[in-house]
Amino acid sequence: MPMIIATVMAYVDPEQQAEGQVRITWEVADKFGASLVGVSAFAVEPPFVAEGVIIRETTADDLKRMKSARADKEQWFRSVAGLPEGRVEWRCSVDYPTAFLTNEGAIGRLGGDQAHARKMDQFHFIDPAEAMMRMGRPTLLVPDHVATLNADRVRVGWKDTCEATIAVRNALPFLSRASQVTVVEISTSDEQDTARHRVRDVAKYLQAHAVKCQVDVRVHMAEPDAHQLVRLAKDEGAHLIVTGSYGHSRLGEWMFGGVTRGLLHELPVCVMMSH
């Protein structure tokens, strides 16, 4: 049976004003009859001390203003969400944003360029890459310039891994509604026949779930695999790329595989990743 999408979660950062970033999560929630949860958090910065003198610290008034700003952001989120009261929820905490989102995680709309640029401010903004890898849930990454999700044509980036299998399973609600799904594997020249067998097996699985599916096998080129996958998606006019996310934590820092890292940095279209 296809995975049921019951909850769509959107992180709302303190500077978020673009309604399109909430509207896209509303579209997903509305399409699948899911609940929509807005999540926001901030952590209190420790005092900045130089030569034994406190230069800057968060005061009680600062904390009060920050909480008030979050209350205003909740009202903004609810007004933009446009769903019945019983299907909209707001969760806020004084906590590190990435840690809070990870603990609450469902399907999350994590922004692209802006979120990546701000990720070093761990007190106010999420690190989308770390959140995605830690949540263990399907994550929808949306470029800043995209204000609506048209998932009519989908490219599935396939590898013979658990992550890819989980990604396909998690994406079934989207894939079953698409008019065109293409499963593509980028392989070495001497593995093309084996790759064709693999993607055909994936296609059979998807067709058994009423997914209109075709397959494609390409040979590694000089360009990185992520660029090749993106180029193929653009050539096909795909609206969504589905793929597994690959990485591991070393000494508290996430290290990503080439395709995952490339897609995180590029994000030309919406990307749904699962880890």
Side-chain angles (χ1 to χ4, degrees):
M1 293 291 292
M3 183 191 75
I4 302 300
I5 296 179
T7 305
V8 179
M9 183 168 288
Y11 182 77
V12 180
D13 73 41
E15 296 179 8
Q16 185 166 340
Q17 297 294 333
E19 293 188 4
Q21 296 181 0
V22 175
R23 286 292 180 183
I24 200 166
T25 52
W26 168 83
E27 287 180 4
V28 176
D30 187 60
K31 180 181 293 186
F32 297 106
S35 297
L36 178 58
V37 180
V39 177
S40 193
F42 65 88
V44 177
E45 297 184 45
F48 177 72
V49 180
E51 297 183 356
V53 178
I54 297 178
I55 305 299
R56 184 185 69 248
E57 66 177 335
T58 302
T59 65
D61 286 342
D62 292 333
L63 188 60
K64 184 177 180 180
R65 281 193 295 270
M66 294 165 75
K67 289 182 177 180
S68 176
R70 281 300 189 276
D72 292 341
K73 193 62 67 175
E74 175 185 359
Q75 295 306 312
W76 173 84
F77 174 80
R78 290 182 179 275
S79 66
V80 174
L83 287 172
E85 182 68 24
R87 288 177 55 195
V88 180
E89 183 181 349
W90 177 260
R91 301 177 189 175
C92 181
S93 178
V94 179
D95 195 357
Y96 288 98
T98 300
F100 185 62
L101 179 63
T102 299
N103 291 335
E104 300 291 326
I107 289 185
R109 186 250 182 241
L110 304 182
D113 298 338
Q114 288 184 340
H116 178 73
R118 296 168 177 167
K119 70 178 183 178
M120 296 308 294
D121 183 356
Q122 60 180 329
F123 299 99
H124 302 100
F125 301 101
I126 59 168
D127 179 338
E130 181 176 349
M132 177 185 67
M133 301 297 280
R134 288 188 180 278
M135 279 192 297
R137 305 291 183 92
T139 304
L140 182 65
L141 297 136
V142 183
D144 291 333
H145 65 273
V146 173
T148 186
L149 176 60
N150 179 354
D152 191 52
R153 292 192 295 275
V154 183
R155 270 264 170 178
V156 176
W158 180 256
K159 291 177 67 175
D160 191 21
T161 63
C162 291
E163 288 87 349
T165 301
I166 293 169
V168 168
R169 184 192 65 201
N170 287 341
L172 276 174
F174 292 91
L175 302 180
S176 61
R177 291 170 179 250
S179 67
Q180 179 182 328
V181 175
T182 303
V183 181
V184 58
E185 179 171 342
I186 301 172
S187 71
T188 58
S189 57
D190 59 347
E191 289 187 346
Q192 290 183 78
D193 289 341
T194 304
R196 288 190 185 95
H197 285 298
R198 285 195 290 257
V199 294
R200 286 170 184 161
D201 284 343
V202 178
K204 289 178 182 177
Y205 168 79
L206 291 174
Q207 289 161 359
H209 288 84
V211 177
K212 304 176 185 70
C213 186
Q214 61 189 26
V215 300
D216 188 12
V217 173
R218 299 297 178 108
V219 177
H220 290 291
M221 301 181 68
E223 64 182 331
D225 286 353
H227 292 177
Q228 189 173 356
L229 180 59
V230 166
R231 180 171 52 78
L232 293 172
K234 286 181 177 179
D235 290 346
E236 192 178 69
H239 310 109
L240 175 66
I241 295 174
V242 172
T243 182
S245 60
Y246 306 93
H248 63 279
S249 180
R250 185 177 67 186
L251 298 178
E253 181 178 357
W254 283 102
M255 312 296 291
F256 300 98
V259 173
T260 301
R261 183 173 56 250
L263 290 174
L264 284 170
H265 289 169
E266 197 159 341
L267 276 188
V269 297
C270 295
V271 177
M272 188 173 182
M273 287 186 173
S274 296
H275 179 69

